[in-house]
Amino acid sequence: WGFNVRTFLSPDDQQKAFFNPYAGDVSQQGEVFFGGPEGYVSFDVQNLISEEDEQFQPRISAITLRDSIIAPEQLLQLRHDDHPITFTFYTGSPLNAEDARYAYRIRGLQDEWIETRSNSMTLLSLPSGDYQLELKASCSGEWSDACTLPMSVSPPWWNSWWMWCIYVFLLVCIGQLLVLITRYLQRRK
């Protein structure tokens, strides 16, 4: 009875299927079918991923901003008041996903890697600026290459470049007004 059991999960870890133990079959081409209350799943035994050959490449599967889920994009542009923000990620591999460890850092905010077994992280606030979220995963002791997500947080309106131009303009106007008042008062004497 010597056999190995390997657990496979869907990449986004969403398929938690219950299969009927009597609803399985193998086609003549070697494709395996399992049936359950949600339908059936099939896979080709010849194309199963070897654990030794599998390279883990973590991915960000979802970003939750306040109570809305947004899709990860090439550049995540946020407003200064967009918080809290939660990043959900996975290993990028169906093998041993339940044993995954993650490490992340936010360049521009912190340089140290933070390790976790959780597949999500939440930022309660993020100051305005440009950042890069870096994420790596490990399922067998060796860390993957990091995936990155650039982020840009815009400043509040009162701290934007055009508002600073208005501040400088107002200061120059007030300075000019003070010079004019001083000259006027000196002429009256």
Side-chain angles (χ1 to χ4, degrees), residues 10-12 57-61 88-93 102 119 135 137:
S10 64
D12 55 6
Q57 184 59 45
R59 293 180 179 88
I60 297 171
S61 57
T88 305
F89 28 83
Y90 67 100
T91 62
S93 168
Y102 299 94
N119 70 333
L135 173 68

Side-chain angles (χ1 to χ4, degrees), residues 6-180:
R6 292 187 9 216
T7 302
F8 292 87
L9 298 175
S10 64
D12 55 6
D13 201 25
Q14 291 179 354
Q15 183 172 341
K16 305 274 194 239
F18 169 78
F19 295 110
N20 184 331
Y22 303 106
D25 197 13
V26 180
S27 73
Q28 291 180 349
Q29 292 80 21
E31 192 173 6
V32 178
F33 295 89
F34 290 106
E38 299 292 321
Y40 73 93
V41 172
S42 69
F43 59 90
D44 186 354
V45 176
Q46 303 294 327
N47 294 331
L48 288 180
I49 303 167
S50 166
E51 191 170 350
E52 295 77 36
D53 296 335
E54 176 64 16
Q55 289 192 346
F56 297 100
Q57 184 59 45
R59 293 180 179 88
I60 297 171
S61 57
I63 300 170
T64 307
L65 185 59
R66 298 185 183 128
D67 291 328
S68 305
I69 296 176
I70 59 175
E73 298 178 11
Q74 298 293 346
L75 171 65
L76 182 60
Q77 295 185 328
L78 302 168
R79 295 189 332 245
H80 73 283
D81 59 349
D82 282 341
H83 52 77
I85 183 168
T86 300
F87 298 91
T88 305
F89 28 83
Y90 67 100
T91 62
S93 168
L95 296 176
N96 298 328
E98 66 276 358
D99 296 330
R101 290 186 357 245
Y102 299 94
Y104 63 87
R105 68 179 171 186
I106 302 172
R107 286 214 179 254
L109 187 65
Q110 66 192 40
D111 288 328
E112 303 83 32
W113 288 95
I114 298 173
E115 290 187 33
T116 182
R117 285 210 174 267
S118 173
N119 70 333
S120 66
M121 61 165 288
T122 300
L123 297 172
L124 297 178
S125 66
L126 198 58
S128 60
D130 294 323
Y131 304 98
Q132 195 156 351
L133 172 63
E134 295 180 335
L135 173 68
K136 57 186 181 178
S138 172
C139 290
S140 59
E142 188 173 326
W143 289 101
S144 68
D145 293 334
C147 76
T148 59
L149 175 66
M151 300 183 292
S152 181
V153 181
S154 62
W157 66 269
W158 62 87
N159 198 15
S160 61
W161 68 268
W162 55 267
M163 200 60 195
W164 281 101
C165 290
I166 292 173
Y167 295 150
V168 169
F169 176 75
L170 289 174
L171 282 174
V172 168
C173 288
I174 291 171
Q176 281 294 99
L177 186 61
L178 289 174
V179 167
L180 289 174

